[in-house]
Amino acid sequence: MRLVIARCSVDYAGRLTAHLPSAPRLILVKADGSVSIHADDRAYKPLNWMSPPCTLKEGVDGEAGTWTVINKAGEKLIITMEEILHDSSHELGVDPGLIKDGVEAHLQELLADRIETLGEGYTLIRREYPTAIGPVDILCRDADGATVAVEIKRRGEIDGVEQLTRYLELLNRDPHLAPVKGVFAAQEIKPQARVLATDRGIGCVVLDYDALRGIEDDKLRLF
C-alpha cells in the first residue's frame, strides 16, 4: 500500500463531474489498483475514489505534478499535486479476511439452508465461494438460471455494497458465471446503502433472523 499526504486538488470526469479544491489530503494507492482520497474529518469514507481495475499514470503530458487514474469505463480521476508532504509504501501481505461475528455467520448458514427466501426457484451453488479478493458469502442461481452473488451483513451499510460491487466486478470476468447479479442481504439496510445498491443494479433483501430460524412471531396477525 502506498500512502501519500499532499496538498492537491481533484477532478473527476465520468458519469458526472466533481471538483475538490486545493487542500491537504491523504491518498491511498492499494495493491489491487484502487485509489482513494481522504480528508481528516470524514471517518473511513473517502472524498473520492476509483475502484479496480484501473491504471495510475504520474506526470501525464509532461506535468510531473499530475496523477491520472483511469478505470475500465474510461472514467478519470485527475489529482493535481501542489506539494507532497509524505510518500511511503508498505507491504501488508495477504489479508486473512474478515471473520464474521456469530450472527452474520449464522445468517449465512440459515440463508444457505433456506435459499428460497431470496425467491422461488433459487438454488444454492455454494457458501464461501472463493475469489482472489476473498470469499463471496453465498453464490446461487435464480429461477432463470442466472448466477447471483449474495453479501450478508447484520447491518447493511455503504461499505457492504462496495464490497459486493468488487466481488461482482471480479465474478463477471468469468465466462462460466457471467452475467452475475448481486443481492445485498441484511437484518437492517441503511437508506444510503439501499440507494447505492439500487443505483448499481444490486437487489436488497431484509432478513428476519427469527423467521430463518423457524421461530414464529408471537404478535397478533390479521389474515
Side-chain angles (χ1 to χ4, degrees):
M1 178 182 291
R2 185 178 177 186
L3 309 176
V4 177
I5 299 175
R7 179 174 292 277
C8 62
S9 60
V10 184
D11 292 278
Y12 168 79
R15 289 171 292 178
L16 48 82
T17 59
H19 174 72
L20 294 173
S22 175
R25 298 187 174 95
L26 168 64
I27 303 167
L28 298 182
V29 184
K30 295 186 178 181
D32 63 3
S34 64
V35 178
S36 57
I37 299 147
H38 300 259
D40 204 18
D41 63 345
R42 304 295 177 92
Y44 63 90
K45 297 180 182 179
L47 298 168
N48 214 326
W49 69 93
M50 195 69 83
S51 299
C54 56
T55 58
L56 168 61
K57 296 180 181 179
E58 299 183 42
V60 175
D61 297 329
E63 297 182 38
T66 301
W67 289 15
T68 302
V69 187
I70 306 174
N71 68 10
K72 63 180 181 180
E75 298 168 315
K76 294 183 179 180
L77 197 63
I78 301 170
I79 308 169
T80 303
M81 301 289 192
E82 298 172 16
E83 181 184 8
I84 294 180
L85 306 172
H86 175 86
D87 189 347
S88 64
S89 297
H90 307 270
E91 179 59 53
L92 302 185
V94 178
D95 191 87
L98 177 69
I99 300 175
K100 293 182 177 290
D101 66 26
V103 173
E104 285 187 10
H106 200 201
L107 280 171
Q108 182 192 117
E109 180 183 349
L110 290 169
L111 186 58
D113 288 341
R114 298 166 177 78
I115 198 66
E116 68 280 357
T117 301
L118 299 178
E120 186 177 352
Y122 271 70
T123 56
L124 178 69
I125 296 176
R126 68 167 289 177
R127 292 170 52 197
E128 298 288 328
Y129 185 87
T131 77
I133 58 174
V136 177
D137 286 338
I138 289 178
L139 198 69
C140 57
R141 296 193 187 280
D142 65 15
D144 298 322
T147 311
V148 182
V150 185
E151 179 63 25
I152 299 171
K153 299 292 184 188
R154 182 168 57 178
R155 174 180 290 182
E157 301 190 69
I158 284 178
D159 57 345
V161 178
E162 294 287 2
Q163 183 180 358
L164 179 54
T165 299
R166 292 192 293 272
Y167 287 142
L168 291 172
E169 288 176 350
L170 193 62
L171 292 169
N172 272 301
R173 297 180 204 170
D174 186 338
H176 299 292
L177 297 176
V180 184
K181 300 187 294 184
V183 170
F184 189 50
Q187 288 180 282
E188 173 193 2
I189 299 178
K190 295 294 185 180
Q192 300 93 330
R194 186 180 291 275
V195 170
L196 182 61
T198 301
D199 181 66
R200 295 183 177 180
I202 294 172
C204 291
V205 174
V206 175
L207 299 175
D208 185 325
Y209 188 47
D210 287 341
L212 284 172
R213 289 175 10 179
I215 299 175
E216 291 291 335
D217 189 345
D218 60 1
K219 295 179 182 177
L220 292 175
R221 299 178 182 178
L222 294 177
F223 294 92

PDB file of all heavy atoms in Angstrom, residues 94-121:
ATOM      1  N   VAL A  94      -0.795 -10.870   2.442  1.00  0.00           N
ATOM      2  CA  VAL A  94      -2.138 -11.395   2.192  1.00  0.00           C
ATOM      3  C   VAL A  94      -2.980 -11.253   3.450  1.00  0.00           C
ATOM      4  O   VAL A  94      -2.581 -11.692   4.536  1.00  0.00           O
ATOM      5  CB  VAL A  94      -2.072 -12.874   1.765  1.00  0.00           C
ATOM      6  CG1 VAL A  94      -3.483 -13.433   1.564  1.00  0.00           C
ATOM      7  CG2 VAL A  94      -1.245 -13.023   0.499  1.00  0.00           C
ATOM      8  N   ASP A  95      -4.140 -10.621   3.292  1.00  0.00           N
ATOM      9  CA  ASP A  95      -5.019 -10.420   4.442  1.00  0.00           C
ATOM     10  C   ASP A  95      -5.803 -11.699   4.729  1.00  0.00           C
ATOM     11  O   ASP A  95      -6.280 -12.368   3.801  1.00  0.00           O
ATOM     12  CB  ASP A  95      -5.992  -9.269   4.154  1.00  0.00           C
ATOM     13  CG  ASP A  95      -6.740  -8.840   5.399  1.00  0.00           C
ATOM     14  OD1 ASP A  95      -6.221  -7.995   6.129  1.00  0.00           O
ATOM     15  OD2 ASP A  95      -7.841  -9.381   5.635  1.00  0.00           O
ATOM     16  N   PRO A  96      -5.952 -12.071   6.000  1.00  0.00           N
ATOM     17  CA  PRO A  96      -6.698 -13.300   6.314  1.00  0.00           C
ATOM     18  C   PRO A  96      -8.190 -13.186   6.071  1.00  0.00           C
ATOM     19  O   PRO A  96      -8.909 -14.179   6.103  1.00  0.00           O
ATOM     20  CB  PRO A  96      -6.409 -13.503   7.808  1.00  0.00           C
ATOM     21  CG  PRO A  96      -6.098 -12.132   8.330  1.00  0.00           C
ATOM     22  CD  PRO A  96      -5.393 -11.433   7.203  1.00  0.00           C
ATOM     23  N   GLY A  97      -8.672 -11.957   5.820  1.00  0.00           N
ATOM     24  CA  GLY A  97     -10.090 -11.783   5.542  1.00  0.00           C
ATOM     25  C   GLY A  97     -10.901 -11.504   6.793  1.00  0.00           C
ATOM     26  O   GLY A  97     -10.442 -11.719   7.917  1.00  0.00           O
ATOM     27  N   LEU A  98     -12.106 -11.055   6.575  1.00  0.00           N
ATOM     28  CA  LEU A  98     -12.998 -10.713   7.671  1.00  0.00           C
ATOM     29  C   LEU A  98     -13.543 -11.963   8.347  1.00  0.00           C
ATOM     30  O   LEU A  98     -14.013 -12.889   7.682  1.00  0.00           O
ATOM     31  CB  LEU A  98     -14.165  -9.871   7.131  1.00  0.00           C
ATOM     32  CG  LEU A  98     -15.237  -9.469   8.133  1.00  0.00           C
ATOM     33  CD1 LEU A  98     -14.677  -8.464   9.136  1.00  0.00           C
ATOM     34  CD2 LEU A  98     -16.443  -8.883   7.409  1.00  0.00           C
ATOM     35  N   ILE A  99     -13.428 -11.995   9.650  1.00  0.00           N
ATOM     36  CA  ILE A  99     -14.056 -13.068  10.421  1.00  0.00           C
ATOM     37  C   ILE A  99     -15.401 -12.565  10.914  1.00  0.00           C
ATOM     38  O   ILE A  99     -15.475 -11.625  11.712  1.00  0.00           O
ATOM     39  CB  ILE A  99     -13.166 -13.489  11.611  1.00  0.00           C
ATOM     40  CG1 ILE A  99     -11.813 -14.001  11.103  1.00  0.00           C
ATOM     41  CG2 ILE A  99     -13.864 -14.551  12.452  1.00  0.00           C
ATOM     42  CD1 ILE A  99     -10.831 -14.325  12.203  1.00  0.00           C
ATOM     43  N   LYS A 100     -16.452 -13.132  10.395  1.00  0.00           N
ATOM     44  CA  LYS A 100     -17.787 -12.645  10.720  1.00  0.00           C
ATOM     45  C   LYS A 100     -18.143 -12.967  12.170  1.00  0.00           C
ATOM     46  O   LYS A 100     -17.677 -13.956  12.727  1.00  0.00           O
ATOM     47  CB  LYS A 100     -18.820 -13.264   9.782  1.00  0.00           C
ATOM     48  CG  LYS A 100     -18.684 -12.799   8.343  1.00  0.00           C
ATOM     49  CD  LYS A 100     -19.767 -13.425   7.497  1.00  0.00           C
ATOM     50  CE  LYS A 100     -19.688 -12.903   6.074  1.00  0.00           C
ATOM     51  NZ  LYS A 100     -20.077 -11.493   5.990  1.00  0.00           N
ATOM     52  N   ASP A 101     -18.973 -12.094  12.759  1.00  0.00           N
ATOM     53  CA  ASP A 101     -19.426 -12.396  14.108  1.00  0.00           C
ATOM     54  C   ASP A 101     -20.449 -13.531  14.047  1.00  0.00           C
ATOM     55  O   ASP A 101     -20.856 -13.983  12.981  1.00  0.00           O
ATOM     56  CB  ASP A 101     -19.998 -11.149  14.794  1.00  0.00           C
ATOM     57  CG  ASP A 101     -21.276 -10.634  14.134  1.00  0.00           C
ATOM     58  OD1 ASP A 101     -21.992 -11.436  13.497  1.00  0.00           O
ATOM     59  OD2 ASP A 101     -21.574  -9.440  14.253  1.00  0.00           O
ATOM     60  N   GLY A 102     -20.840 -14.000  15.209  1.00  0.00           N
ATOM     61  CA  GLY A 102     -21.701 -15.165  15.269  1.00  0.00           C
ATOM     62  C   GLY A 102     -23.012 -15.001  14.537  1.00  0.00           C
ATOM     63  O   GLY A 102     -23.488 -15.921  13.881  1.00  0.00           O
ATOM     64  N   VAL A 103     -23.596 -13.804  14.621  1.00  0.00           N
ATOM     65  CA  VAL A 103     -24.892 -13.589  13.977  1.00  0.00           C
ATOM     66  C   VAL A 103     -24.758 -13.639  12.462  1.00  0.00           C
ATOM     67  O   VAL A 103     -25.544 -14.299  11.770  1.00  0.00           O
ATOM     68  CB  VAL A 103     -25.500 -12.238  14.424  1.00  0.00           C
ATOM     69  CG1 VAL A 103     -26.770 -11.939  13.626  1.00  0.00           C
ATOM     70  CG2 VAL A 103     -25.829 -12.270  15.913  1.00  0.00           C
ATOM     71  N   GLU A 104     -23.738 -12.954  11.891  1.00  0.00           N
ATOM     72  CA  GLU A 104     -23.567 -12.954  10.440  1.00  0.00           C
ATOM     73  C   GLU A 104     -23.263 -14.352   9.925  1.00  0.00           C
ATOM     74  O   GLU A 104     -23.782 -14.775   8.890  1.00  0.00           O
ATOM     75  CB  GLU A 104     -22.461 -11.978  10.033  1.00  0.00           C
ATOM     76  CG  GLU A 104     -22.886 -10.520  10.117  1.00  0.00           C
ATOM     77  CD  GLU A 104     -21.843  -9.586   9.544  1.00  0.00           C
ATOM     78  OE1 GLU A 104     -20.871 -10.067   8.917  1.00  0.00           O
ATOM     79  OE2 GLU A 104     -21.984  -8.366   9.719  1.00  0.00           O
ATOM     80  N   ALA A 105     -22.418 -15.076  10.649  1.00  0.00           N
ATOM     81  CA  ALA A 105     -22.087 -16.441  10.239  1.00  0.00           C
ATOM     82  C   ALA A 105     -23.335 -17.326  10.267  1.00  0.00           C
ATOM     83  O   ALA A 105     -23.543 -18.156   9.372  1.00  0.00           O
ATOM     84  CB  ALA A 105     -21.004 -17.010  11.151  1.00  0.00           C
ATOM     85  N   HIS A 106     -24.168 -17.148  11.303  1.00  0.00           N
ATOM     86  CA  HIS A 106     -25.388 -17.947  11.402  1.00  0.00           C
ATOM     87  C   HIS A 106     -26.395 -17.550  10.336  1.00  0.00           C
ATOM     88  O   HIS A 106     -27.094 -18.403   9.774  1.00  0.00           O
ATOM     89  CB  HIS A 106     -25.994 -17.796  12.803  1.00  0.00           C
ATOM     90  CG  HIS A 106     -26.943 -18.896  13.157  1.00  0.00           C
ATOM     91  ND1 HIS A 106     -27.905 -18.778  14.126  1.00  0.00           N
ATOM     92  CD2 HIS A 106     -27.087 -20.159  12.656  1.00  0.00           C
ATOM     93  CE1 HIS A 106     -28.604 -19.886  14.206  1.00  0.00           C
ATOM     94  NE2 HIS A 106     -28.121 -20.755  13.334  1.00  0.00           N
ATOM     95  N   LEU A 107     -26.473 -16.255  10.031  1.00  0.00           N
ATOM     96  CA  LEU A 107     -27.356 -15.797   8.950  1.00  0.00           C
ATOM     97  C   LEU A 107     -26.978 -16.453   7.634  1.00  0.00           C
ATOM     98  O   LEU A 107     -27.836 -16.883   6.856  1.00  0.00           O
ATOM     99  CB  LEU A 107     -27.284 -14.271   8.812  1.00  0.00           C
ATOM    100  CG  LEU A 107     -28.100 -13.438   9.793  1.00  0.00           C
ATOM    101  CD1 LEU A 107     -27.742 -11.962   9.644  1.00  0.00           C
ATOM    102  CD2 LEU A 107     -29.592 -13.633   9.592  1.00  0.00           C
ATOM    103  N   GLN A 108     -25.673 -16.516   7.377  1.00  0.00           N
ATOM    104  CA  GLN A 108     -25.201 -17.140   6.142  1.00  0.00           C
ATOM    105  C   GLN A 108     -25.611 -18.605   6.086  1.00  0.00           C
ATOM    106  O   GLN A 108     -26.109 -19.089   5.064  1.00  0.00           O
ATOM    107  CB  GLN A 108     -23.680 -17.010   6.037  1.00  0.00           C
ATOM    108  CG  GLN A 108     -23.116 -17.600   4.755  1.00  0.00           C
ATOM    109  CD  GLN A 108     -21.615 -17.732   4.801  1.00  0.00           C
ATOM    110  OE1 GLN A 108     -21.080 -18.837   4.741  1.00  0.00           O
ATOM    111  NE2 GLN A 108     -20.925 -16.613   4.906  1.00  0.00           N
ATOM    112  N   GLU A 109     -25.410 -19.304   7.195  1.00  0.00           N
ATOM    113  CA  GLU A 109     -25.763 -20.727   7.254  1.00  0.00           C
ATOM    114  C   GLU A 109     -27.262 -20.936   7.067  1.00  0.00           C
ATOM    115  O   GLU A 109     -27.698 -21.816   6.314  1.00  0.00           O
ATOM    116  CB  GLU A 109     -25.314 -21.292   8.596  1.00  0.00           C
ATOM    117  CG  GLU A 109     -25.610 -22.764   8.793  1.00  0.00           C
ATOM    118  CD  GLU A 109     -25.199 -23.264  10.171  1.00  0.00           C
ATOM    119  OE1 GLU A 109     -24.498 -22.526  10.893  1.00  0.00           O
ATOM    120  OE2 GLU A 109     -25.587 -24.390  10.519  1.00  0.00           O
ATOM    121  N   LEU A 110     -28.055 -20.115   7.746  1.00  0.00           N
ATOM    122  CA  LEU A 110     -29.511 -20.257   7.656  1.00  0.00           C
ATOM    123  C   LEU A 110     -30.023 -19.937   6.254  1.00  0.00           C
ATOM    124  O   LEU A 110     -30.891 -20.635   5.719  1.00  0.00           O
ATOM    125  CB  LEU A 110     -30.187 -19.334   8.674  1.00  0.00           C
ATOM    126  CG  LEU A 110     -30.033 -19.712  10.150  1.00  0.00           C
ATOM    127  CD1 LEU A 110     -30.517 -18.575  11.037  1.00  0.00           C
ATOM    128  CD2 LEU A 110     -30.781 -20.998  10.461  1.00  0.00           C
ATOM    129  N   LEU A 111     -29.491 -18.852   5.657  1.00  0.00           N
ATOM    130  CA  LEU A 111     -29.952 -18.464   4.328  1.00  0.00           C
ATOM    131  C   LEU A 111     -29.556 -19.505   3.283  1.00  0.00           C
ATOM    132  O   LEU A 111     -30.326 -19.785   2.354  1.00  0.00           O
ATOM    133  CB  LEU A 111     -29.392 -17.093   3.955  1.00  0.00           C
ATOM    134  CG  LEU A 111     -29.901 -16.496   2.632  1.00  0.00           C
ATOM    135  CD1 LEU A 111     -31.422 -16.375   2.642  1.00  0.00           C
ATOM    136  CD2 LEU A 111     -29.263 -15.137   2.381  1.00  0.00           C
ATOM    137  N   ALA A 112     -28.387 -20.092   3.445  1.00  0.00           N
ATOM    138  CA  ALA A 112     -27.974 -21.146   2.522  1.00  0.00           C
ATOM    139  C   ALA A 112     -28.926 -22.336   2.604  1.00  0.00           C
ATOM    140  O   ALA A 112     -29.248 -22.960   1.578  1.00  0.00           O
ATOM    141  CB  ALA A 112     -26.539 -21.577   2.821  1.00  0.00           C
ATOM    142  N   ASP A 113     -29.386 -22.656   3.819  1.00  0.00           N
ATOM    143  CA  ASP A 113     -30.325 -23.772   4.003  1.00  0.00           C
ATOM    144  C   ASP A 113     -31.725 -23.421   3.515  1.00  0.00           C
ATOM    145  O   ASP A 113     -32.505 -24.324   3.182  1.00  0.00           O
ATOM    146  CB  ASP A 113     -30.397 -24.167   5.478  1.00  0.00           C
ATOM    147  CG  ASP A 113     -29.135 -24.881   5.950  1.00  0.00           C
ATOM    148  OD1 ASP A 113     -28.387 -25.382   5.093  1.00  0.00           O
ATOM    149  OD2 ASP A 113     -28.899 -24.916   7.171  1.00  0.00           O
ATOM    150  N   ARG A 114     -32.018 -22.122   3.488  1.00  0.00           N
ATOM    151  CA  ARG A 114     -33.354 -21.667   3.068  1.00  0.00           C
ATOM    152  C   ARG A 114     -33.207 -20.653   1.943  1.00  0.00           C
ATOM    153  O   ARG A 114     -33.733 -19.546   2.015  1.00  0.00           O
ATOM    154  CB  ARG A 114     -34.094 -21.055   4.264  1.00  0.00           C
ATOM    155  CG  ARG A 114     -34.337 -22.034   5.404  1.00  0.00           C
ATOM    156  CD  ARG A 114     -34.759 -21.326   6.676  1.00  0.00           C
ATOM    157  NE  ARG A 114     -35.072 -22.255   7.764  1.00  0.00           N
ATOM    158  CZ  ARG A 114     -34.168 -22.876   8.507  1.00  0.00           C
ATOM    159  NH1 ARG A 114     -32.876 -22.665   8.287  1.00  0.00           N
ATOM    160  NH2 ARG A 114     -34.527 -23.706   9.461  1.00  0.00           N
ATOM    161  N   ILE A 115     -32.481 -21.052   0.904  1.00  0.00           N
ATOM    162  CA  ILE A 115     -32.133 -20.129  -0.174  1.00  0.00           C
ATOM    163  C   ILE A 115     -33.368 -19.620  -0.913  1.00  0.00           C
ATOM    164  O   ILE A 115     -33.357 -18.552  -1.531  1.00  0.00           O
ATOM    165  CB  ILE A 115     -31.142 -20.808  -1.156  1.00  0.00           C
ATOM    166  CG1 ILE A 115     -30.421 -19.765  -2.006  1.00  0.00           C
ATOM    167  CG2 ILE A 115     -31.851 -21.858  -2.004  1.00  0.00           C
ATOM    168  CD1 ILE A 115     -29.507 -18.852  -1.244  1.00  0.00           C
ATOM    169  N   GLU A 116     -34.462 -20.363  -0.804  1.00  0.00           N
ATOM    170  CA  GLU A 116     -35.712 -19.922  -1.448  1.00  0.00           C
ATOM    171  C   GLU A 116     -36.252 -18.642  -0.809  1.00  0.00           C
ATOM    172  O   GLU A 116     -37.188 -18.022  -1.357  1.00  0.00           O
ATOM    173  CB  GLU A 116     -36.757 -21.030  -1.396  1.00  0.00           C
ATOM    174  CG  GLU A 116     -37.292 -21.371  -0.006  1.00  0.00           C
ATOM    175  CD  GLU A 116     -36.371 -22.275   0.795  1.00  0.00           C
ATOM    176  OE1 GLU A 116     -35.330 -22.690   0.257  1.00  0.00           O
ATOM    177  OE2 GLU A 116     -36.714 -22.567   1.960  1.00  0.00           O
ATOM    178  N   THR A 117     -35.680 -18.229   0.325  1.00  0.00           N
ATOM    179  CA  THR A 117     -36.048 -16.945   0.932  1.00  0.00           C
ATOM    180  C   THR A 117     -35.810 -15.799  -0.060  1.00  0.00           C
ATOM    181  O   THR A 117     -36.527 -14.800  -0.055  1.00  0.00           O
ATOM    182  CB  THR A 117     -35.215 -16.691   2.212  1.00  0.00           C
ATOM    183  OG1 THR A 117     -35.460 -17.758   3.128  1.00  0.00           O
ATOM    184  CG2 THR A 117     -35.577 -15.369   2.864  1.00  0.00           C
ATOM    185  N   LEU A 118     -34.808 -15.957  -0.916  1.00  0.00           N
ATOM    186  CA  LEU A 118     -34.481 -14.916  -1.901  1.00  0.00           C
ATOM    187  C   LEU A 118     -35.471 -14.888  -3.057  1.00  0.00           C
ATOM    188  O   LEU A 118     -35.550 -13.899  -3.777  1.00  0.00           O
ATOM    189  CB  LEU A 118     -33.065 -15.131  -2.447  1.00  0.00           C
ATOM    190  CG  LEU A 118     -31.933 -15.066  -1.423  1.00  0.00           C
ATOM    191  CD1 LEU A 118     -30.608 -15.355  -2.100  1.00  0.00           C
ATOM    192  CD2 LEU A 118     -31.908 -13.706  -0.730  1.00  0.00           C
ATOM    193  N   GLY A 119     -36.199 -15.961  -3.236  1.00  0.00           N
ATOM    194  CA  GLY A 119     -37.176 -16.014  -4.321  1.00  0.00           C
ATOM    195  C   GLY A 119     -37.443 -17.461  -4.725  1.00  0.00           C
ATOM    196  O   GLY A 119     -36.599 -18.348  -4.554  1.00  0.00           O
ATOM    197  N   GLU A 120     -38.603 -17.689  -5.262  1.00  0.00           N
ATOM    198  CA  GLU A 120     -38.975 -19.031  -5.701  1.00  0.00           C
ATOM    199  C   GLU A 120     -38.055 -19.484  -6.826  1.00  0.00           C
ATOM    200  O   GLU A 120     -37.768 -18.731  -7.763  1.00  0.00           O
ATOM    201  CB  GLU A 120     -40.436 -19.028  -6.182  1.00  0.00           C
ATOM    202  CG  GLU A 120     -40.975 -20.410  -6.519  1.00  0.00           C
ATOM    203  CD  GLU A 120     -42.437 -20.381  -6.919  1.00  0.00           C
ATOM    204  OE1 GLU A 120     -43.051 -19.306  -6.787  1.00  0.00           O
ATOM    205  OE2 GLU A 120     -42.932 -21.432  -7.359  1.00  0.00           O
ATOM    206  N   GLY A 121     -37.578 -20.711  -6.721  1.00  0.00           N
ATOM    207  CA  GLY A 121     -36.730 -21.268  -7.766  1.00  0.00           C
ATOM    208  C   GLY A 121     -35.251 -21.058  -7.572  1.00  0.00           C
ATOM    209  O   GLY A 121     -34.442 -21.526  -8.377  1.00  0.00           O
TER     210      GLY A 121
END
